[in-house]
Amino acid sequence: MTAEAGADRVFITGASSGIGAALAREYAARGAILGLVARRGEVLGALSASLPHPERHRSYAVDVLDHAALAAAAQDFMAAAGGADIVIACAGISHGTLTERPEDLAVFEAVFATNVNATVATFAPFVAPMKAQSGMRRLVAIGSVAGVRGMRGAGAYCASKAAVHAYCESLRLELKSSGIRVVTIAPGYIDTPMTRNNRFPMPFLMPAGRFAAAAVRAIARGDSYRVLPWQMGFVAKLLRALPNSVFDFLFARAPTKPRKEAA
């Protein structure tokens, strides 16, 4: 596992598809050393093999809900790469939920376990080693514009992403004096397998590759919070500013996300 001097060492969860895979391709094209984490080992291996200089990268077939295995992958990557410069918690799931349906409580728990708890578990093994390093150091969480306001039928997903945003604000303050930058990237609608399940219009839909290029630039700058595409940043500010009465009137009949089918 070797790379040119000065190459970024980047650890990405949820790397087998969607935004995670797009970020892996973008960083690999820039000469980075990658540690790629996802449950689907075969898909992850195929992605790694397709990247430039596959010998630089390490793949870990790990479920982010297995925090011990995730920490072991983090330690292995840092040992092999000599540290980590950028850690991206990208693993996430989305399902429509209804509080009145008892079976959806388990879905709420699964969404929070993957989107929130696994973000904390992803960052935890890297904080102390990063404090001992110099140079660029980034902890990056993939939030969502959905975390700005709660949407009908999407309580679990919206609440989980709002929690990610708030958690990153807290972590940013905790690490302010360490030189580690905490970056929250809040995607709008990005063309991925997750959004293709949506049954409603998706304004400003952004190709995953273009999103990844813009995200990498924001991460390099150390932006504390960045909405992509930029148009959705304007929409997010407008939604946040709406009085509750106006927001409720506009969105009370909005289409809902598909619920997870019972097994």
Side-chain angles (χ1 to χ4, degrees):
M1 187 176 184
T2 58
E4 297 175 2
D8 290 335
R9 300 161 296 183
V10 185
F11 188 85
I12 306 172
T13 66
S16 61
S17 67
I19 286 175
L23 287 167
R25 294 188 185 99
E26 181 67 25
Y27 274 113
R30 295 169 179 249
I33 303 171
L34 302 181
L36 304 175
V37 176
R39 290 178 300 150
R40 298 179 295 169
E42 291 185 4
V43 177
L44 193 62
L47 170 66
S48 181
S50 73
L51 299 175
H53 305 290
E55 72 282 356
R56 294 181 178 179
H57 315 309
R58 295 176 86 84
S59 298
Y60 304 95
V62 168
D63 188 330
V64 292
L65 301 184
D66 186 341
H67 298 168
L70 183 57
Q75 295 297 339
D76 181 82
F77 177 71
M78 286 187 284
D85 304 300
I86 301 168
V87 178
I88 306 176
C90 192
I93 59 174
S94 175
H95 298 292
T97 46
L98 295 174
T99 299
E100 68 187 273
R101 301 294 291 267
E103 63 271 27
D104 282 8
L105 178 57
V107 180
F108 266 86
E109 292 171 343
V111 169
F112 268 77
T114 301
N115 295 0
V116 184
N117 298 350
T119 296
V120 181
T122 297
F123 291 163
F126 292 97
V127 173
M130 277 187 162
K131 284 183 175 180
Q133 292 175 202
S134 58
M136 183 180 70
R137 293 156 290 164
R138 305 283 188 265
L139 295 176
V140 184
I142 302 300
S144 174
V145 170
V148 174
R149 297 291 305 240
M151 291 295 173
R152 178 173 173 261
Y157 187 69
C158 292
S160 72
K161 291 303 185 178
V164 168
H165 296 177
Y167 162 66
C168 286
E169 286 188 343
S170 296
L171 185 62
R172 189 171 73 241
L173 296 177
E174 292 172 21
L175 299 178
K176 180 71 173 177
S177 63
S178 71
I180 300 171
R181 297 283 188 92
V182 178
V183 177
T184 306
I185 302 292
Y189 294 114
I190 311 302
D191 187 11
T192 67
M194 182 184 292
T195 58
R196 289 167 201 155
N197 290 327
N198 290 340
R199 299 175 298 193
F200 46 80
M202 294 182 285
F204 311 115
L205 183 67
M206 190 178 199
R210 192 149 60 88
F211 166 85
V216 167
R217 292 193 294 270
I219 292 166
R221 290 192 301 265
D223 293 353
S224 60
Y225 180 82
R226 178 65 55 186
V227 177
L228 297 171
W230 67 265
Q231 295 94 330
M232 286 303 293
F234 176 79
V235 172
K237 289 180 180 178
L238 177 61
L239 288 176
R240 188 67 268 172
L242 287 177
N244 286 349
S245 58
V246 176
F247 176 80
D248 293 354
F249 175 78
L250 292 175
F251 291 96
R253 298 183 182 274
T256 60
K257 295 180 70 66
R259 292 174 60 247
K260 185 177 182 180
E261 295 295 331

